[in-house]
Amino acid sequence: MKFVGIALAVALCAVLAVVGVVMAGVAGFFADEETSGLAAQVCDSAAAVTASTDQLPTVPGFSTEQLTNAGHILAAGADLDVPLRAQQVAVMTALGESSLRVLDHGDNVGPDSRGLFQQRANGAWGSYSDRLDPHTSATNFYRALLNVPGWQALEPTIAAHRTQRNANPWHYESYWPDATAIVDAFQAQTTAASPAVDLVSLPDQQAANRFGRAPCAGEVSTGAISPQGWANPTSGHLTSPFGYRTHPITGQHHLHTGSDVANACGSTPVYAAADGVVIWQGAGGYQGRTGNQIVIDHDGTGGVITRYGHVLTGSILVRTGDHVTAGQQIASIGGDPQLDPQGAGGSTGCHLHFEVNLLGVPVDARDHLASFGVQLGS
């Protein structure tokens, strides 16, 4: 088969890389985890959402108070003409710090913290009244965020951490899906006069815009095939890369064997990354760790395998034994435990867990695809 040579050529390097990670120790690898998002190139950014607090959208699970404060955050970003991605990061941070409420108290870690962003009384965030004012506190957050080198290429939680210096760099990660849903709701109301947001039926273009960037020049778009025969398995934003991490549900620190790409459930297609044969589809089974999953063998021997985890129940378009081609749609993104409690598996929100195994060893899917001219999630 055509991928046997590829697998054998890179397998030794992959094995050595994994062994090197283990030998380096958990602490050393975790220190590297913060900068892993720097590999993602940001070529262009979508414009900021112009929001108003006079007419609020409807977002399930959020009150008028919370959405009003989100509107203030978005309005402050629009006044500064920041990219859409900055607004998303700001809303995510406020969710993680105050649940989008203006708090007039701190906590044990920061007893002097106040406001939507729980900003400290250290002189960096203005006066007491500045920190309690939603528009002013958001403006100061944006100014600090834009001074973080390479913030757009960082994972959102890491960009927020480097702005706020949370004790846990991954604290904000679980708030990203809600933040993007809120921003999308305001954007939908502004552009289409539609006050409601539905994560399942969100239009593909709007879902793509939520990540605040356009594809880079020369990238292979989702579903398109590179000259080397590989395709990008889905579009979206990389929220959790390959490597050691603290699991957002179990709290355990272990190797995350895939790369998570977040986007809207149901409306975001999942594509086969290369030609191959489906060796598993459905819930559980085959080293099941991700709820619904599809597993494809690309060389006929198990030497090159890709895994597509958390796909939405009812969206799977292939059966075990089917031959698939690169760029062929095989399912849609799932992962929302409320929308699809059985199929989502251990997930906190809509995303694809994409994994590459070479000779049974998990490798960084981003690096693997990049070697074939494809940028994951572009």
Side-chain angles (χ1 to χ4, degrees):
M1 304 289 285
K2 65 180 178 180
F3 293 111
V4 174
I6 294 171
L8 295 177
V10 298
L12 181 58
C13 291
V15 173
L16 290 175
V18 173
V19 171
V21 167
V22 174
M23 293 301 291
V26 170
F29 197 96
F30 186 70
D32 230 16
E33 205 170 15
E34 277 193 38
T35 60
S36 59
L38 287 169
Q41 182 185 9
V42 178
C43 302
D44 191 16
S45 295
V49 174
T50 302
S52 169
T53 57
D54 295 333
Q55 184 177 3
L56 300 174
T58 298
V59 182
F62 291 94
S63 67
T64 298
E65 176 193 4
Q66 291 171 298
L67 293 174
T68 298
N69 288 326
H72 285 302
I73 294 172
L74 297 180
D79 288 346
L80 292 174
D81 197 25
V82 302
L84 173 66
R85 184 174 177 80
Q87 292 177 304
Q88 295 164 329
V89 171
V91 173
M92 175 195 70
T93 305
L95 279 168
E97 292 290 349
S98 68
S99 191
L100 284 173
R101 293 181 171 91
V102 179
L103 301 181
D104 194 14
H105 61 80
D107 52 29
N108 291 333
V109 177
D112 58 340
S113 299
R114 295 292 186 275
L116 286 175
F117 296 89
Q118 285 291 277
Q119 293 162 336
R120 304 291 297 271
N122 54 16
W125 304 104
S127 66
Y128 171 80
S129 60
D130 288 340
R131 291 181 289 138
L132 285 180
D133 181 78
H135 192 282
T136 304
S137 62
T139 298
N140 289 333
F141 174 85
Y142 286 124
R143 287 172 174 162
L145 172 67
L146 297 177
N147 281 326
V148 174
W151 69 270
Q152 285 180 288
L154 295 172
E155 304 301 330
T157 183
I158 300 305
H161 162 66
R162 293 190 179 178
T163 304
Q164 297 269 125
R165 293 298 172 186
N166 192 288
N168 175 13
W170 297 99
H171 168 72
Y172 306 101
E173 183 175 30
S174 63
Y175 299 97
W176 179 253
D178 281 340
T180 57
I182 290 170
V183 176
D184 284 340
F186 276 94
Q187 185 178 50
Q189 181 169 270
T190 301
T191 60
S194 174
V197 62
D198 181 350
L199 286 178
V200 179
S201 61
L202 194 68
D204 289 341
Q205 186 56 54
Q206 185 184 339
N209 286 345
R210 75 168 59 186
F211 304 106
R213 80 178 205 57
C216 302
E219 285 182 348
V220 174
S221 61
T222 306
I225 305 171
S226 75
Q228 298 92 336
W230 283 75
N232 184 8
T234 197
S235 62
H237 177 71
L238 185 70
T239 55
S240 186
F242 175 90
Y244 279 92
R245 69 169 185 177
T246 300
H247 195 280
I249 296 177
T250 66
Q252 296 179 341
H253 192 75
H254 57 75
L255 179 65
H256 181 225
T257 54
S259 296
D260 291 348
V261 180
N263 210 328
C265 285
S267 62
T268 310
V270 174
Y271 302 94
D275 296 356
V277 176
V278 177
I279 59 176
W280 181 267
Q281 60 82 24
Y286 203 86
Q287 304 174 10
R289 303 184 300 273
T290 56
N292 291 339
Q293 62 177 331
I294 299 171
V295 184
I296 300 176
D297 180 357
H298 299 287
D299 71 349
T301 69
V304 183
I305 285 177
T306 54
R307 184 193 312 275
Y308 311 77
H310 308 298
V311 296
L312 189 66
T313 297
S315 75
I316 297 176
L317 302 175
V318 293
R319 298 180 179 180
T320 300
D322 283 356
H323 290 260
V324 295
T325 58
Q328 175 182 334
Q329 184 175 353
I330 56 176
S332 298
I333 278 183
D336 185 331
Q338 295 182 333
L339 174 69
D340 187 13
Q342 293 184 333
S347 172
T348 59
C350 301
H351 75 279
L352 172 70
H353 171 98
F354 178 66
E355 184 174 320
V356 177
N357 282 257
L358 301 179
L359 297 181
V361 177
V363 300
D364 191 326
R366 289 185 302 171
D367 291 346
H368 182 80
L369 290 181
S371 70
F372 298 110
V374 177
Q375 181 169 331
L376 178 61
S378 62

